[in-house]
């Protein structure tokens, strides 16, 4: 059974329809890259999956449970799916360790000692065990993003949504974040990532989704999507054809 | 100038002065604590709370911010007993200051909340926190940090405004100064002494608020 089932999802902002009937099924352990021009709807799709945007029609189901826009269903869904943002969104008044502990304690009512143990383990997993007591402003962008990954992992999600998580980083910091994601992929985490890192998408992902004007324009294994693009739009996007 | 200054009365009236200082300090501590608490609640309602409650809080805020403190005080002390709400001078003074600071701090704190980057709310939501949990654990402290200097100033303003409570015979520092000069006719000296004490209290209060800020916001940090 698919872990995430996206069926005929439509979404408009005002009169602007940004998602025009999206169908994607994601199996457990899959690593999916969503690529496309800005405005193609890829970030919106990701945000719909964990309910940060409401969909107008169609359905999204995670592990068999339908996404419904009420508080109770949304929270149940968000316990299954973590999200990592382009702008990190760490809590600036809390240390890295406390950032990772907070939702465990507030949402899952985990005792402080256990939450701290989990936080140390997760920070260690992203190579930042020594930054437990550092505040976000004392960390580099790459380190902040790795803390954000640890924070999402501490909730033990079944899948992670990554929304352009390296786009706000200096080039030399991109690799340290991608290395962590690569490790997660190797451990079997289900990942849906909107990304502009084509090399990473080619090397690590099981499938690549090319979105164009609110539709899934092409979908397939990375070697097919990158090696043998079928549509002129994808060819143009990949720079294989003069504009 | 033929006026000869005479401060020899201070010893005799020290108990009156000290009592006045004590009541002024009590008024500002109670007023600041509950006023900011009320202001925080109202700010949450106006910025993020249930839609039907927002105009109610809005009406309260506008009513208080557009009427004189003295009238609010008189209304509570002389007006409300007609409806059966009778209270002592001190209770009325406390209530008036809480209600007054609540309205002003509501608007200051609301500005802090509304300056919160959307990503903070989204991060809270994506970690399965409820909107109220996100507000309490994620949004509130950085919001207060953003507006702490403005809020501190407002608290000092309310402390100085507390002089008005002497008009309902709450025995604060201004009441003590009035009382002393009516007895010994040393108006200049009595008001000079009370002025110096108010100045001292205001400086101490500012330092306390700065210290509270340092404690609350362990390190200065810009929101991401």
């Amino acid at each position: 059974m698919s872990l995430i089932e996206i069926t005929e999802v439509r979404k408009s902002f005002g009169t602007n329809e940004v998602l025009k009937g999206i169908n994607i099924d994601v199996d457990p352990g899959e690593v999916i890259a969503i690529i496309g021009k800005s405005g193609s709807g890829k970030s919106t799709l990701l945000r719909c999956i964990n309910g940060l945007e409401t969909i107008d029609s169609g359905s999204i189901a995670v592990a068999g449970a339908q996404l419904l826009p009420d508080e109770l269903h949304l929270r149940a869904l968000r316990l299954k799916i973590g999200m990592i943002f382009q702008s990190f969104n760490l809590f600036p008044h809390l240390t890295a360790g406390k950032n990772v502990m907070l939702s465990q304690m507030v949402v899952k009512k985990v005792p402080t000692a256990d939450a701290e143990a989990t936080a140390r383990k997760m920070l260690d997993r992203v190579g930042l065990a020594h930054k437990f007591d550092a505040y976000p402003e004392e960390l580099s962008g790459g380190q902040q993003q790795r803390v954000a990954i640890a924070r999402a992992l501490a909730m033990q999600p079944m899948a992670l949504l990554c929304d352009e998580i390296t786009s706000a980083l200096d080039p030399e910091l991109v690799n340290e974040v991608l290395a962590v994601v690569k490790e997660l992929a190797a451990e079997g985490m289900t990942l849906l990532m909107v990304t502009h890192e084509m090399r990473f998408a080619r090397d690590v992902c099981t499938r690549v989704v090319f979105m164009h004007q609110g539709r899934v324009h092409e979908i397939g294994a990375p070697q097919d999507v990158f090696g043998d693009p079928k549509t002129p739009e994808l060819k143009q996007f990949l720079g294989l054809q003069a504009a | 100038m033929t006026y000869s200054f005479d401060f020899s009365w201070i010893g005799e009236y020290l108990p009156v002065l000290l009592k006045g200082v004590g009541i002024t300090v009590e008024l500002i501590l109670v007023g600041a604590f509950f006023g900011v608490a009320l202001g925080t609640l109202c700010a949450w309602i106006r910025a993020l709370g249930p839609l039907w409650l927002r105009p109610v809080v809005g009406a309260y805020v506008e009513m208080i911010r557009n009427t004189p403190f003295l009238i609010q005080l008189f209304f509570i002390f002389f007006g409300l007993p007609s409806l059966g709400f009778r209270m002592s001078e001190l209770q009325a003074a406390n209530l008036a200051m809480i209600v007054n600071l609540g309205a002003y701090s509501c608007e200051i704190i609301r500005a802090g909340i509304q300056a919160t980057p959307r990503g903070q709310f989204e991060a809270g939501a994506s970690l399965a926190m409820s909107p109220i949990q996100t507000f309490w654990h994620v949004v509130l402290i950085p919001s207060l940090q953003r507006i702490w200097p403005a809020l501190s100033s407002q608290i000092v303003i309310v402390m100085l405004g507390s002089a008005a409570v002497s008009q309902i015979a709450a025995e604060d520092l201004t009441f003590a100064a009035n009382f002393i000069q009516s007895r010994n006719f040393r108006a200049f000296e009595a008001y000079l002494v009370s002025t110096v004490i108010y100045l001292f209290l205001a400086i101490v209060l500012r330092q306390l608020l700065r210290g509270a800020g340092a404690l609350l916001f362990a390190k200065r940090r810009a929101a991401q």
Side-chain angles (χ1 to χ4, degrees):
Chain A
M1 196 186 80
S2 299
L3 180 60
I4 303 173
E5 291 169 2
I6 302 166
T7 314
E8 280 303 313
V9 165
R10 286 174 182 273
K11 168 75 184 172
S12 300
F13 291 111
T15 55
N16 181 22
E17 192 172 38
V18 286
L19 298 178
K20 300 171 181 166
I22 304 285
N23 292 288
I24 304 174
D25 288 346
V26 182
D27 290 329
E30 269 202 291
V31 179
I32 294 187
I34 305 172
I35 61 173
K37 284 193 289 195
S38 55
S40 60
K42 49 195 194 316
S43 279
T44 304
L45 175 63
L46 218 56
R47 292 165 58 81
C48 285
I49 296 174
N50 82 339
L52 287 180
E53 306 285 356
T54 52
I55 58 178
D56 298 334
S57 66
S59 77
I60 296 175
V62 175
Q66 287 291 323
L67 165 56
L68 297 169
D70 63 282
E71 187 68 18
L72 214 69
H73 283 89
L74 276 180
R75 295 185 65 188
L77 170 92
R78 288 165 177 162
L79 280 170
K80 295 180 197 157
I81 294 200
M83 182 147 184
I84 305 160
F85 302 87
Q86 179 175 354
S87 52
F88 327 136
N89 295 344
L90 292 185
F91 307 136
H93 60 301
L94 301 177
T95 60
K98 290 276 167 58
N99 260 277
V100 183
M101 289 165 68
L102 181 65
S103 56
Q104 301 180 59
M105 294 169 66
V106 169
V107 177
K108 292 188 168 177
K109 314 293 178 201
V110 175
T112 309
D114 297 350
E116 186 180 332
T118 304
R120 289 193 186 279
K121 207 167 79 191
M122 292 307 158
L123 283 175
D124 188 43
R125 200 164 158 191
V126 299
L128 290 173
H130 59 295
K131 294 292 187 187
F132 189 90
D133 291 317
Y135 283 95
E137 67 158 15
E138 299 166 332
L139 301 173
S140 73
Q143 289 172 331
Q144 289 191 48
Q145 194 60 292
R146 283 147 68 197
V147 173
I149 294 172
R151 183 173 71 175
L153 290 176
M155 296 298 278
Q156 279 134 5
M158 304 164 85
L160 277 184
L161 309 173
C162 305
D163 189 6
E164 300 197 32
I165 60 170
T166 57
S167 298
L169 296 176
D170 293 337
E172 72 269 23
L173 301 177
V174 168
N175 283 331
E176 67 181 58
V177 172
L178 290 183
V180 169
V181 177
K182 200 167 174 176
E183 223 166 274
L184 290 177
E187 290 166 18
M189 174 64 77
T190 308
L191 291 163
L192 245 86
M193 35 196 320
V194 170
T195 185
H196 295 294
E197 299 293 330
M198 295 305 155
R199 204 160 48 89
F200 183 82
R202 184 198 294 258
D203 294 346
V204 177
C205 294
T206 50
R207 273 197 294 168
V208 175
V209 176
F210 172 62
M211 287 188 64
H212 183 69
Q213 293 182 348
R215 292 198 171 83
V216 174
H217 211 66
E218 281 195 43
I219 182 166
Q223 60 268 25
D224 298 332
V225 169
F226 291 116
D228 182 23
K230 304 281 188 290
T231 59
E233 289 80 11
L234 179 54
K235 283 178 186 168
Q236 186 192 333
F237 178 75
L238 295 172
L240 298 175
Q241 181 177 295
Chain B
M1 198 171 73
T2 55
Y3 190 81
S4 59
F5 298 102
D6 178 8
F7 289 96
S8 61
W9 51 268
I10 287 187
E12 183 189 344
Y13 286 106
L14 197 59
V16 180
L17 276 175
L18 287 181
K19 184 180 180 198
V21 170
I23 287 183
T24 293
V25 167
E26 188 270 346
L27 281 173
I28 190 55
L29 290 182
V30 172
F33 182 82
F34 290 103
V36 170
L38 176 65
T40 304
L41 178 68
C42 290
W44 173 77
I45 292 171
R46 279 200 101 175
L48 307 166
L51 285 177
W52 62 271
L53 251 182
R54 293 186 194 184
V56 178
V57 173
Y60 152 65
V61 167
E62 290 314 316
M63 199 176 74
I64 295 301
R65 295 204 312 161
N66 292 292
T67 53
F69 176 64
L70 195 58
I71 294 295
Q72 296 161 15
L73 185 68
F74 283 172
F75 183 81
I76 288 171
F77 187 65
F78 297 119
L80 287 187
S82 312
L83 303 181
F85 299 104
R86 212 166 292 280
M87 55 194 109
S88 72
E89 300 85 358
L90 206 56
Q91 287 167 332
N94 270 323
L95 182 60
M97 288 177 65
I98 291 166
V99 166
N100 187 268
L101 182 59
Y104 280 96
S105 63
C106 166
E107 288 304 89
I108 296 172
I109 296 166
R110 179 167 76 119
I113 293 171
Q114 288 177 332
T116 303
R118 201 177 59 161
Q120 294 288 306
F121 293 98
E122 293 184 347
S126 77
L127 290 164
M129 289 160 77
S130 72
I132 288 180
Q133 288 170 336
T134 301
F135 172 73
W136 187 250
H137 295 285
V138 174
V139 172
L140 181 58
I141 294 291
S143 295
L144 287 177
Q145 183 177 9
R146 254 172 239 131
I147 49 81
W148 196 249
L151 187 59
S152 299
S153 288
Q154 188 61 46
I155 291 171
V156 172
I157 289 170
V158 167
M159 188 276 268
L160 298 178
S162 74
V165 306
S166 61
Q167 296 306 306
I168 59 167
E171 298 173 35
D172 75 326
L173 178 54
T174 302
F175 181 90
N178 286 340
F179 175 81
I180 290 166
Q181 69 91 25
S182 70
R183 287 296 183 85
N184 64 8
F185 304 109
R186 288 283 168 186
F188 184 90
E189 290 89 336
Y191 290 122
L192 183 67
V193 168
S194 56
T195 299
V196 170
I197 295 175
Y198 270 116
L199 184 63
F200 172 76
L201 287 179
I203 291 169
V204 171
L205 182 58
R206 277 185 199 279
Q207 294 307 316
L208 280 178
L209 287 166
R210 186 174 302 181
L215 212 67
L216 209 52
F217 322 118
K219 295 186 66 182
R220 282 206 76 81
R221 227 159 290 117
Q224 265 305 328

